[in-house]
């Protein structure tokens, strides 16, 4: 049975990948017929004014403050305590957050457990930025939260710019609403990398879409210093450049010119590799082994596992894990999220640019290829294209949009409370 499931899921993956690649080829000049050759609908977006973007920034930061206040209120009411605003940094120092605090205080060489540098698995940019802010704000947890708040606001600005210029203001507002009310969006206010990764990838995708390759390269480097998946911005940039240059066109001379243009830009498009090289350099500096992180991952039971196998253990744990609350906090949501995002991608593949769909597809699958997946909700919350796709599906359907956002907001309150209580939400 497991073998049949693995074959079926793998076959479905390669079929979907082939369809998306062929559609990308069609948008890059290859002569195809039928649905694959259909161009994405023309957009009527416009560039938002500066005052609108400032409102987006401050509104996003205000929403993070409101979320922190709601979390504090829920914790006090349901735990029967009376913590104050001053207790928020400690209250939010949960799970990986405590490790980021220690890394910011002690550094990668100083934060050791059982004689090992186990925390090299955490990428460095968020740690470095928090250490800089800590020079002005001595409370490390508070400094980390402020970094997350600021990056969340800035990331919202780039998401809004991308959505508004591609789809229009209504879709942009819906995309932000989906981002804010997502069940696991409270992580954007925590002492973790989510907000920084949202900022770097939304900025990277925005500049890729605008064909500003230098800016896209800079944000790509920062993204790959924030999280391993940042490097897939390289693929997004190459996909968009090919859509622009049409290297698969009919006329030979045009194909040659397009290929030369792509080759000239290829070095800067691949700049995010530098972020990975920087991370390898950190590993070498601390341990003498540039790939030490791969050894440390074993302590965290992490490694690559093909997604059908991941879904199999998620299903088993969702049905039979010994602790029922853990099933509802972790395994059941992770299993359901896979199918929800898969359906969203299936409904969206013809409605959006190939670059966005391909990036979303690869990002989605990669996050479900971990041997012990504990944080799928947190990882998927940083999938920028999913908010664009969701907004397109909800556009003009006010009743459905309100229902979806209400359910998502209620789930966020539940997961936020359980996170603050050290539940299995991480």
């Amino acid at each position: 049975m497991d073998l049949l499931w693995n074959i079926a899921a793998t076959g479905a993956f390669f079929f979907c990948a082939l369809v998306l690649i062929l559609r990308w080829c069609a948008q890059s000049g290859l002569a195809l017929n039928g649905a694959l050759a259909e161009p994405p609908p023309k957009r009527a977006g416009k560039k938002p004014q500066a005052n609108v973007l400032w409102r987006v920034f401050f509104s996003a930061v205000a929403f993070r403050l409101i979320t922190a206040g709601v979390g504090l209120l829920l914790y006090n009411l349901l735990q029967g305590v009376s913590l104050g605003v001053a207790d928020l940094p400690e209250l939010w120092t949960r799970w990986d957050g405590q490790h980021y605090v220690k890394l910011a205080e002690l550094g990668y060489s100083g934060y050791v457990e059982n004689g090992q540098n186990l925390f090299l698995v955490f990428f460095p940019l968020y740690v470095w930025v928090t250490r800089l802010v800590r020079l002005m704000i001595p409370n490390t947890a508070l400094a980390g939260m402020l970094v997350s708040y600021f990056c969340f606001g800035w990331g919202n600005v780039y998401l809004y710019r991308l959505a508004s210029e591609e789809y229009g203001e209504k879709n942009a507002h819906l995309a932000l609403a989906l981002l804010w009310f997502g069940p696991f969006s409270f992580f954007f206010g925590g002492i973790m990398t989510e907000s920084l990764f949202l900022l770097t990838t939304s900025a990277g995708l925005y500049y890729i879409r605008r064909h500003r390759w230098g800016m896209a390269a800079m944000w790509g480097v920062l993204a790959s210093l924030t999280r391993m998946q940042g490097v897939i911005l390289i693929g997004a940039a190459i996909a968009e450049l090919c859509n622009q240059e049409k290297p698969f066109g009919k006329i030979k001379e045009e194909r040659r010119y397009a290929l030369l243009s792509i080759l000239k830009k290829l070095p800067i498009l691949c700049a995010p590799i530098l972020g990975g090289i920087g991370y390898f350099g950190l590993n070498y500096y601390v341990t003498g082994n540039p790939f030490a992180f791969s050894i440390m991952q074993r302590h965290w039971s992490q490694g690559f596992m093909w997604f059908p196998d991941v879904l199999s253990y998620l299903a088993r744990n969702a049905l039979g894990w010994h602790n029922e609350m853990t099933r509802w906090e972790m395994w059941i949501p992770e299993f359901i999220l896979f199918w929800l995002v898969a359906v969203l991608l299936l409904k969206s593949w013809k409605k959006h640019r190939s670059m966005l769909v391909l990036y979303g597809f690869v990002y989605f699958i990669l996050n479900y290829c971990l041997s012990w997946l504990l944080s799928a909700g947190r990882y998927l919350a940083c999938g920028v294209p999913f908010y664009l796709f969701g907004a397109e599906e909800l556009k003009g359907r006010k009743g459905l949009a309100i229902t979806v956002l209400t359910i998502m907001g209620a789930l966020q309150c539940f997961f936020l409370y359980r996170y603050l209580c050290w539940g299995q939400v991480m």
Side-chain angles (χ1 to χ4, degrees):
M1 191 66 169
D2 285 346
L3 178 60
L4 289 176
W5 157 245
N6 213 304
I7 292 172
T10 301
F13 165 80
F14 281 110
F15 174 77
C16 292
L18 178 62
V19 168
L20 294 181
I21 291 171
L22 286 174
R23 184 169 179 273
W24 165 70
C25 289
Q27 293 186 9
S28 300
L30 185 66
L32 292 175
N33 297 316
L36 293 174
E38 292 179 9
K42 291 184 178 180
R43 304 303 181 186
K46 64 177 183 179
K47 187 175 181 179
Q49 296 181 346
N51 64 321
V52 173
L53 297 179
W54 279 111
R55 284 202 300 270
V56 168
F57 175 83
F58 286 115
S59 297
V61 173
F63 189 80
R64 290 268 58 84
L65 293 170
I66 292 169
T67 303
V70 169
L72 181 63
L73 179 62
L74 287 172
Y75 190 82
N76 282 341
L77 287 175
L78 298 177
Q79 291 291 309
V81 297
S82 56
L83 300 182
V85 174
D87 299 304
L88 279 173
E90 182 179 352
L91 184 62
W92 279 77
T93 308
R94 299 290 188 259
W95 298 115
D96 287 353
Q98 60 189 328
H99 301 312
Y100 282 111
V101 168
K102 289 294 185 182
L103 285 170
E105 292 176 345
L106 304 175
Y108 283 89
S109 298
Y111 188 25
V112 177
E113 186 175 298
N114 298 325
Q116 294 180 289
N117 300 100
L118 297 175
F119 306 99
L120 278 169
V121 297
F122 295 96
F123 274 58
L125 185 60
Y126 179 77
V127 175
W128 294 341
V129 175
T130 301
R131 294 192 84 171
L132 285 175
V133 176
R134 187 170 169 264
L135 296 175
M136 299 173 285
I137 300 172
N139 185 315
T140 309
L142 178 59
M145 291 181 72
L146 291 177
V147 170
S148 292
Y149 282 29
F150 177 80
C151 290
F152 182 72
W154 198 0
N156 273 245
V157 168
Y158 275 112
L159 176 60
Y160 187 87
R161 291 177 74 178
L162 177 61
S164 182
E165 293 180 30
E166 187 76 4
Y167 304 96
E169 285 185 351
K170 289 185 178 180
N171 279 47
H173 290 136
L174 266 175
L176 292 187
L178 290 170
L179 171 64
W180 292 6
F181 287 93
F184 297 94
S185 291
F186 64 88
F187 280 112
F188 291 117
I191 309 166
M192 296 186 185
T193 60
E194 271 55 51
S195 283
L196 182 58
F197 194 65
L198 174 75
L199 166 60
T200 53
T201 53
S202 59
L205 289 170
Y206 173 77
Y207 286 115
I208 287 170
R209 179 65 187 94
R210 297 272 70 81
H211 304 161
R212 295 178 60 182
W213 308 116
M215 293 295 293
M218 181 193 76
W219 285 107
V221 172
L222 296 177
S224 58
L225 278 170
T226 305
R227 191 176 290 172
M228 186 177 296
Q229 295 92 330
V231 76
I232 65 175
L233 285 172
I234 295 174
I238 293 173
E240 180 64 23
L241 179 59
C242 288
N243 282 176
Q244 179 192 23
E245 298 291 348
K246 303 290 189 292
F248 308 130
K250 295 180 180 179
I251 302 173
K252 184 177 180 180
E253 285 302 316
E254 290 182 354
R255 289 202 305 270
R256 181 184 175 190
Y257 177 82
L259 286 170
L260 286 174
S261 179
I262 291 170
L263 288 173
K264 287 179 183 178
K265 295 183 177 73
L266 199 57
I268 197 166
L269 299 186
C270 293
I273 292 174
L274 296 175
I277 293 173
Y279 178 60
F280 297 149
L282 172 66
N283 278 258
Y284 181 79
Y285 174 79
V286 174
T287 68
N289 178 4
F291 306 108
F293 69 94
S294 63
I295 301 171
M296 307 308 170
Q297 283 177 334
R298 299 170 192 165
H299 170 81
W300 305 96
S301 302
Q302 290 295 359
F304 180 85
M305 180 181 284
W306 189 225
F307 78 93
D309 295 321
V310 175
L311 287 175
S312 294
Y313 80 67
L314 287 180
R316 288 194 297 269
N317 292 343
L319 293 172
W321 193 257
H322 59 86
N323 186 303
E324 185 175 356
M325 182 58 77
T326 301
R327 297 210 303 264
W328 287 102
E329 291 172 346
M330 181 186 299
W331 305 120
I332 292 174
E334 291 191 332
F335 185 74
I336 292 175
L337 272 173
F338 178 90
W339 300 107
L340 289 177
V341 176
V343 169
L344 179 62
L345 285 168
L346 284 172
K347 290 176 68 67
S348 303
W349 72 277
K350 287 197 299 183
K351 301 177 182 178
H352 305 272
R353 295 187 70 81
S354 288
M355 177 270 287
L356 292 171
V357 180
L358 283 168
Y359 175 87
F361 179 72
V362 173
Y363 182 80
F364 168 55
I365 293 297
L366 282 180
N367 281 300
Y368 272 86
C369 285
L370 290 173
S371 57
W372 195 235
L373 183 59
L374 303 178
S375 308
R378 176 157 64 95
Y379 299 155
L380 291 182
C382 296
V384 172
F386 306 145
Y387 300 109
L388 305 177
F389 303 164
E392 180 71 7
E393 295 302 318
L394 294 175
K395 184 181 67 175
R397 307 166 77 178
K398 186 176 180 180
L400 179 61
I402 292 173
T403 301
V404 169
L405 292 172
T406 300
I407 293 172
M408 290 169 62
L411 288 172
Q412 183 178 164
C413 288
F414 168 74
F415 289 121
L416 169 58
Y417 170 69
R418 292 303 304 158
Y419 171 77
L420 297 178
C421 294
W422 288 96
Q424 299 300 301
V425 182
M426 61 186 74

